[in-house]
Amino acid sequence: MAGELATLSLVEVAARIRSRDASCAAVLDAVLERAAEVQPKLNAFLRIDETLAREQARLADAELAQGRVRGPLHGVPMAHKDMYYRQGVPSSCGSKIKGREPEKTTATALKRLDAAGAIQFGVLNMAEFAYGPTGHNWHFGHVRNPWNPAHITGGSSSGSAAAVAARATFAALGSDTGASVRLPAALCGVTGLKVTYGRISRAGAMPLSFSMDTIGPLARTAADCALLLGVLAGPDPADPTAAHEAVPDYVTGLNRPVNGLRIGVALNYFTEDVEPGVGAALTESLKAIESLGCEIVPVTLPDMTAMDIAGTHIIGAEAAAYHGEWMRTRAQDYSAQVRARLERGLTIPATKYLDALRYRGPALEAFARAVFAKVDVLHAPCLPIPTPTLAETDVGSSPHMDRTLALLTKFMRPFNYLGLPSLAVPCGFLASGLPVGMQLVGRPFAEDLILRLGHAFQRATDWHKRVPQP
Amino acid sequence: MQGQATERYVAEVLTLQGTMAGEDVAKAIAPALSAQLAAAAAAYASLQLEAEPSGFFAVVAREKA
């Protein structure tokens, strides 16, 4: 029973709890058992708060017995990337610098999950200060890919993706500044949503780059992400950048038809450097989408490389500014890799940073003209290469490491720069047994559409149902 | 030429900032940075950029679903 409960999707387990087919305590037992089993192999968790979570589950069961349901996530246990602050509890942010002092506020995202009834039972490993695409963490140990522990999980939401894939949490918050939800989602074979810039409040979440940061869920399915987005999205007085756009009913919208949608496939950029196994999986995914009644339309993209570079400049300059004081006073407490990246940010001239910001409007306009004037959604690979190993992407492993790291993010970072929503969806496996991911990119605030298409794809395929055995 | 200037700039900034790095780090990161800066300069050169970065949000508002 316990093992079976842990393999349910978030939507399924929430329904079982509400109907009292499963108790909150039993569901929590199932994920705690699974977490204990996989943690020695994956190093996904930084802390598990078992006693507190059990007390919360007991209360949640008592409430259900009295007919009280807090919200759509009543009693569902989750763990989150350790960069969402909770008042009175330290957050490490994957670093040696933070994590000693209790936080003074609680992140709006956590408050909203709490209000919906979710139970946070732990915090997850991550790249130091969310500034790394591989899942290495030199302070707390590297996170391992559940499909093959010799390989990277991707980052920076490394623990989030590994734990969701291993069925050790039903979902997890990640953050996506330059691919950090979608990349680990793709490499670990789970579903990850990068939202439109401003769709979810960032109050109480560790900043990396305030012009690019977004918060997003990683879960088993697009439907799970839809349920979570409905809870998380919306304006917030504590975050003036949170959008005031109406929040649609993402869950109800999932079942609207997708036939007749126009799906764009790029004739350039997303065809570069794509290795055959990845390309084959993407081709098959397009066939599946076409079989849903969608029309496949070729599109020629504007200069995506410039957008990738501009985004890199913005992240570099803003991260270096945010870390300035610690760089002056605690430089020795950073890992060498993160410190070197931050130092690189110090060297970006203000004029280049401002050019990158000024180029953002014209770039989005050019992209919208080339893509959204012709199609509803763009289909693209998450990354062009198979999942590298930890050793291949470790410090000084190869003179080609910089290029490998650039290839990990080059297909995703432009959408952070453009502020567009993008859903990473598992769409196949390589001969090596490692998963492949596709991304579905939509217009600003069109999360409902990409979630609907992702849901339809997952009803027609079973890639997301495969469970790794770490 | 640009590489040398960048390298010098890195060293100066790092010295000013009081971090340890100095010339070794500057040498290591300057080539990659120079390439990035050169590529960005080429990419932006032909564009009519707005005076302020706020144009992005105007496009978002126009293009939203």
Side-chain angles (χ1 to χ4, degrees):
Chain A
M1 176 69 172
E4 186 251 336
L5 283 176
T7 61
L8 296 174
S9 73
L10 176 83
V11 168
E12 290 167 339
V13 82
R16 289 265 192 112
I17 289 172
R18 266 198 312 280
S19 64
R20 301 185 66 185
D21 287 338
S23 70
C24 304
V27 171
L28 178 64
D29 278 345
V31 289
L32 288 174
E33 188 180 307
R34 184 69 175 158
E37 182 188 343
V38 301
Q39 174 64 6
K41 300 164 189 166
L42 303 182
N43 195 31
F45 288 85
L46 290 180
R47 195 183 69 242
I48 292 178
D49 302 315
E50 187 172 332
T51 306
L52 184 61
R54 285 194 191 283
E55 176 58 18
Q56 290 181 349
R58 193 188 62 74
L59 282 173
D61 278 328
E63 286 171 348
L64 275 179
Q66 293 167 358
R68 184 174 172 225
V69 178
R70 287 193 195 193
L73 300 172
H74 190 105
V76 177
M78 286 183 215
H80 304 296
K81 188 175 185 178
D82 192 17
M83 55 167 275
Y84 293 95
Y85 304 156
R86 190 175 284 285
Q87 190 173 18
V89 180
S91 286
S92 74
C93 301
S95 76
K96 203 170 147 184
I97 290 175
K98 277 183 62 64
R100 296 191 191 282
E101 299 295 324
E103 299 298 340
K104 295 184 177 67
T105 58
T106 299
T108 297
L110 293 186
K111 284 182 188 170
R112 289 182 177 171
L113 292 172
D114 293 347
I119 295 171
Q120 183 178 354
F121 72 95
V123 291
L124 295 161
N125 205 345
M126 58 183 282
E128 181 181 0
F129 286 117
Y131 207 17
T134 59
H136 287 83
N137 186 306
W138 286 271
H139 301 303
F140 298 107
H142 311 323
V143 186
R144 310 246 163 201
N145 192 308
W147 295 95
N148 184 333
H151 289 257
I152 64 168
T153 53
S156 63
S157 309
S158 46
S160 301
V164 170
R167 275 50 180 175
T169 180
F170 291 100
L173 287 177
S175 65
D176 196 320
T177 304
S180 287
V181 162
R182 291 159 292 159
L183 175 59
L187 299 189
C188 292
V190 302
T191 307
L193 176 64
K194 184 262 171 209
V195 298
T196 306
Y197 180 78
R199 180 69 292 184
I200 298 176
S201 166
R202 303 175 298 177
M206 181 210 78
L208 173 61
S209 166
F210 39 84
S211 297
M212 307 270 279
D213 289 340
T214 59
I215 287 170
L218 295 94
R220 317 263 167 84
T221 68
D224 291 351
C225 290
L227 178 57
L228 288 165
L229 183 59
V231 169
L232 293 165
D236 177 17
D239 178 2
T241 67
H244 286 256
E245 290 292 318
V247 179
D249 184 339
Y250 296 106
V251 173
T252 302
L254 291 174
N255 293 317
R256 289 176 57 202
V258 297
N259 61 311
L261 287 179
R262 293 162 302 160
I263 311 301
V265 182
L267 294 171
N268 58 325
Y269 192 70
F270 289 107
T271 56
E272 296 167 8
D273 304 307
V274 177
E275 297 208 2
V278 176
L282 266 289
T283 302
E284 288 303 310
S285 72
L286 264 183
K287 287 181 190 165
I289 289 172
E290 197 168 19
S291 73
L292 298 170
C294 300
E295 181 189 356
I296 309 300
V297 180
V299 291
T300 302
L301 304 179
D303 188 351
M304 305 299 286
T305 301
M307 296 175 201
D308 185 26
I309 291 168
T312 303
H313 282 182
I314 293 173
I315 295 171
E318 292 183 353
Y322 174 71
H323 284 270
E325 179 62 20
W326 288 328
M327 289 283 282
R328 279 187 285 277
T329 58
R330 302 192 59 177
Q332 73 283 357
D333 289 333
Y334 289 93
S335 67
Q337 297 67 34
V338 171
R339 193 177 61 215
R341 298 188 89 189
L342 289 168
E343 285 169 348
R344 193 180 287 196
L346 291 173
T347 70
I348 295 169
T351 46
K352 280 285 166 279
Y353 169 69
L354 287 169
D355 273 351
L357 284 176
R358 289 198 301 162
Y359 175 41
R360 208 175 181 193
L364 179 58
E365 193 154 24
F367 186 86
R369 208 165 39 241
V371 177
F372 295 129
K374 296 174 184 161
V375 300
D376 302 299
V377 173
L378 179 72
H379 168 281
C382 282
L383 68 162
I385 55 172
T387 310
T389 63
L390 280 157
E392 282 166 347
T393 47
D394 209 337
V395 185
S397 60
S398 152
H400 308 298
M401 192 180 76
D402 263 2
R403 176 171 157 74
T404 303
L405 296 187
L407 287 174
L408 288 176
T409 57
K410 76 173 267 188
F411 284 175
M412 289 179 265
R413 183 162 294 174
F415 300 119
N416 295 84
Y417 183 67
L418 295 172
L420 297 173
S422 171
L423 182 70
V425 181
C427 70
F429 283 80
L430 300 170
S432 61
L434 291 161
V436 178
M438 66 175 180
Q439 54 179 338
L440 303 171
V441 183
R443 290 184 176 90
F445 300 103
E447 281 86 355
D448 53 345
L449 183 58
I450 57 176
L451 287 165
R452 194 200 324 165
L453 183 59
H455 179 62
F457 179 82
Q458 290 183 329
R459 289 175 72 172
T461 61
D462 67 353
W463 305 115
H464 60 291
K465 291 181 179 168
R466 301 196 182 185
V467 182
Q469 300 300 330
Chain B
M1 190 62 187
Q2 186 180 9
Q4 288 173 359
T6 306
E7 193 174 313
R8 197 163 55 245
Y9 180 74
V10 170
E12 284 170 6
V13 169
L14 295 178
T15 305
L16 280 174
Q17 296 285 350
T19 60
M20 41 63 65
E23 289 185 7
D24 287 345
V25 170
K27 281 176 188 159
I29 68 177
L33 184 73
S34 298
Q36 274 192 2
L37 291 176
Y44 307 154
S46 61
L47 292 165
Q48 297 292 315
L49 294 176
E50 306 192 19
E52 293 176 18
S54 57
F56 169 69
F57 295 100
V59 183
V60 168
R62 198 170 66 238
E63 294 295 334
K64 71 187 178 192

